[in-house]
Amino acid sequence: MEHGSLTDLRSSTFSLTDEDHTLANSARFALNKDPRVEFCGYSIPHPSDNRVNIRVQTTGDPAKEVFKDALQDLMVMCQHVRGTFDKAVVDFRESEHDKEMKIDS
Amino acid sequence: MPRLSALDMPDVPKAQLPPHLEQQRTRVSCKSDAPLHTEGIQYSGAYASMGVDNSLRLDSFSKNFRVEVVRLTEDEIEFDMIGIDASLANAFRRILIAELPTMAIEKVLIANNTSVVQDEVLAQRLGLIPIEADPRLFEYVSENDTAHEKNTIVFKLDVRCKKDDGRIKAKSSELKWLPGGSELQMASTNSNPSTNPNAKPKTYTSFNCRQDSLPEFSHKPLRPKYGDITIAVLGAGQAIDLEVHAVKGVGRTHAKWSPVATAWYRMLPEVVLTQEVEDGKAEELVSKCPVNVFDIEDIGEGRKKAVVARPRACTLCRECIREKHWEECVDLRRVRDHFIFTIESTGALPPEVLFTEAVKILEQKCERIIAELS
Ligand code: SF4
């Protein structure tokens, strides 16, 4: 859910249910790395509420679009992490296999 | 004299941070009293006044991100993750512990328990037994769902210690899979068999088919991952007869669903000698370190000096800088974007699959929020 003003789209607070530090902290990282973001932070209003509030203030672009872009970036990063990790595991298995072959021969 | 900005002075390199700031940005310093500069600097404009861009572009992330596997066994993986921020590394760790589903025993139907272990303690112990079942093949069961072959695994435990057996142990290997579902009959309201003699007696599950007739399980029977876990010790004449229902869940609800024994990371230690440490002092330094980070090197003429040989082994116990004046010779740091990640699986899924699944979950979270905002 987005809380912001209708006239000034540059700043908004996004209230996300069923999320915690896991997503909020990563999203804050991605937002902070975006040059269009002027300020960004998050808080968990109450520990027994399953909710985080992410505040985004931009230098001009609509906060919602910037936030969505940040999440999109995060997804691309995750995909890259997954690809790199899978490749590293395959490489490791191969090198282990090669080592075993050498010992056997 | 024309006014000259400090940044335009010839000895200030352009688009590059001065060394002390660069070190602050990329390293955590460990001083003898406390660590220094622990917070990462994320804000893209943090160094704007120096003409340094601190934003992150996806292509530079892709170029710099590396993974190197150090150790990989059936239930453990250690790998280096280089070029990623702590917020993401921590997100993966948190997801591994609390948000990856597994199957765990949630319901225990006790028909008989004359052992010294009370029912509730026994149920708690059973819940913690890791089940070797791929959680991706199962569905979550919600409050009003009936237990069926897609969301429940049923095991039964029936052990009895005969009068002259002395004392026996009930092990987890004695949990027998019931692919056809529960065998315990419900105390039904219309138990009169004459009304409908063909009706199957109502049990605590309603499986539509046997689980071992499904292709995913027909070759691989479902069972506890380890057969040597002691559930209870039975004395002569004591018996346990019960049935357990395992369902899918996540570690956030209860730690028994956590797929990892532990998942943790540490940042790569960096040990730097800021001064030459020679002769007697060198030997003293080598003997200070409990994990042998330092070595002695001969520099000719019968002189010796200390060198940092195995920085990765450093536990940052700070013993080497505890005493006076040593802090001036030894600088302990951690590399901020280099994580030594270790995952110990409890057995439901291999550790490398756990990590990829964790990354997928973070992706799904992002996707969900994007969809919600659109
Ligand atoms: S901090 Fe501890 S482990 Fe690390 S180099 Fe010093 S004495 Fe060795």
Side-chain angles (χ1 to χ4, degrees):
Chain A
M1 200 181 7
E2 182 179 355
H3 300 279
S5 102
L6 287 172
T7 47
D8 184 5
L9 299 176
R10 290 177 307 168
S11 49
S12 275
T13 301
F14 300 91
S15 189
L16 313 178
T17 46
D18 291 331
E19 291 300 346
D20 56 6
H21 297 280
T22 308
L23 184 82
N25 199 5
S26 321
R28 184 182 63 181
F29 162 72
L31 279 163
N32 264 327
K33 286 292 180 190
D34 189 327
R36 292 174 297 173
V37 173
E38 187 180 67
F39 169 82
C40 141
Y42 79 91
S43 74
I44 294 181
H46 194 279
S48 55
D49 252 5
N50 253 335
R51 165 187 303 282
V52 290
N53 292 339
I54 302 182
R55 176 74 177 168
V56 183
Q57 284 169 219
T58 73
T59 51
D61 295 46
K64 189 167 153 186
E65 296 310 313
V66 174
F67 185 48
K68 277 203 281 189
D69 284 352
L71 291 173
Q72 193 69 42
D73 284 358
L74 214 52
M75 269 170 74
V76 177
M77 280 196 237
C78 283
Q79 277 155 10
H80 182 71
V81 169
R82 204 142 52 86
T84 318
F85 177 81
D86 285 344
K87 197 175 161 295
V89 169
V90 170
D91 287 352
F92 179 78
R93 287 233 168 89
E94 267 169 22
S95 70
E96 287 291 287
H97 186 69
D98 288 352
K99 263 189 232 159
E100 266 172 37
M101 300 282 271
K102 276 200 194 104
I103 293 167
D104 288 348
S105 60
Chain B
M1 215 173 103
R3 296 260 307 268
L4 189 65
S5 155
L7 291 171
D8 293 331
M9 286 182 178
D11 54 341
V12 176
K14 278 275 143 60
Q16 200 182 337
L17 288 178
H20 70 284
L21 284 183
E22 183 63 19
Q23 187 183 322
Q24 222 177 76
R25 195 176 73 87
T26 57
R27 303 285 188 270
V28 179
S29 296
C30 296
K31 300 297 176 199
S32 56
D33 52 349
L36 200 65
H37 308 311
T38 49
E39 77 290 354
I41 291 164
Q42 294 183 338
Y43 179 47
S44 62
Y47 304 110
S49 62
M50 270 168 279
V52 175
D53 180 14
N54 195 36
S55 68
L56 183 75
R57 316 246 172 245
L58 284 177
D59 49 341
S60 72
F61 171 80
S62 313
K63 211 169 72 216
N64 295 328
F65 180 72
R66 275 187 300 136
V67 172
E68 280 161 24
V69 181
V70 180
R71 187 157 44 90
L72 175 58
T73 61
E74 196 193 323
D75 47 20
E76 204 176 330
I77 186 170
E78 180 180 332
F79 59 96
D80 285 25
M81 204 160 53
I82 305 150
I84 196 164
D85 190 75
S87 59
L88 277 160
N90 194 36
F92 299 148
R93 186 192 63 85
R94 287 173 61 97
I95 292 173
L96 277 166
I97 293 172
E99 284 175 61
L100 266 186
T102 57
M103 303 296 286
I105 292 166
E106 168 72 354
K107 275 194 193 136
V108 181
L109 311 175
I110 299 179
N112 182 21
N113 174 21
T114 51
S115 75
V116 290
V117 188
Q118 299 96 315
D119 290 0
E120 63 274 25
V121 179
L122 188 65
Q124 155 77 6
R125 286 182 69 75
L126 285 163
L128 294 170
I129 295 173
I131 309 286
E132 192 176 13
D134 189 338
R136 292 171 292 188
L137 303 173
F138 290 90
E139 294 163 6
Y140 287 102
V141 49
S142 61
E143 195 91 349
N144 307 320
D145 267 357
T146 51
H148 54 78
E149 73 280 359
K150 281 273 165 219
N151 63 21
T152 306
I153 309 172
V154 183
F155 295 96
K156 110 175 165 191
L157 178 71
D158 188 1
V159 279
R160 181 172 303 274
C161 183
K162 294 207 201 71
K163 279 273 179 323
D164 40 10
D165 270 0
R167 209 177 267 157
I168 62 161
K169 280 180 180 165
K171 297 279 182 132
S172 52
S173 59
E174 277 159 288
L175 281 168
K176 289 283 166 286
W177 180 35
L178 299 180
S182 173
E183 286 177 350
L184 290 179
Q185 288 180 19
M186 258 190 204
S188 58
T189 41
N190 54 344
S191 56
N192 187 0
S194 61
T195 49
N196 190 354
N198 297 334
K200 270 198 284 176
K202 210 165 149 38
T203 65
Y204 286 86
T205 56
S206 37
F207 280 24
N208 296 320
C209 65
R210 288 177 64 83
Q211 275 172 331
D212 52 2
S213 67
L214 300 170
E216 346 26 321
F217 310 123
S218 53
H219 304 294
K220 211 170 154 261
L222 298 170
R223 58 186 185 89
K225 170 77 181 173
Y226 304 100
D228 57 352
I229 302 170
T230 305
I231 298 169
V233 179
L234 301 184
Q238 296 177 345
I240 294 178
D241 180 10
L242 52 78
E243 195 176 272
V244 297
H245 294 196
V247 299
K248 187 170 170 174
V250 292
R252 193 165 34 177
T253 323
H254 190 292
K256 68 185 175 189
W257 276 299
S258 184
V260 292
T262 43
W264 82 93
Y265 58 74
R266 60 192 193 108
M267 286 184 274
L268 181 78
E270 190 182 63
V271 184
V272 179
L273 295 175
T274 45
Q275 289 171 17
E276 291 289 347
V277 179
E278 294 182 348
D279 301 329
K281 258 190 123 187
E283 305 224 324
E284 198 187 331
L285 183 61
V286 171
S287 64
K288 267 179 193 293
C289 179
V291 292
N292 288 324
V293 165
F294 303 101
D295 260 354
I296 297 248
E297 199 174 82
D298 262 313
I299 48 172
E301 295 159 23
R303 302 182 53 131
K304 289 177 264 175
K305 77 168 189 188
V307 288
V308 183
R310 286 166 291 273
R312 199 184 158 100
C314 174
T315 58
L316 279 143
C317 65
R318 290 180 280 176
E319 177 63 23
C320 53
I321 54 171
R322 189 170 55 87
E323 274 167 63
K324 253 193 169 165
H325 304 308
W326 279 99
E327 208 168 6
E328 295 145 27
C329 313
V330 187
D331 202 5
L332 299 173
R333 304 170 192 159
R334 296 208 141 183
V335 182
R336 210 187 280 285
D337 66 347
H338 187 140
F339 297 95
I340 303 173
F341 216 107
T342 314
I343 302 171
E344 278 177 25
S345 163
T346 54
L349 290 172
E352 72 277 13
V353 177
L354 286 178
F355 185 77
T356 23
E357 290 293 313
V359 181
K360 269 189 213 160
I361 287 187
L362 188 59
E363 271 168 57
Q364 284 161 11
K365 280 175 182 286
C366 297
E367 216 171 73
R368 200 199 97 196
I369 303 295
I370 293 177
E372 249 173 45
L373 287 177
S374 303

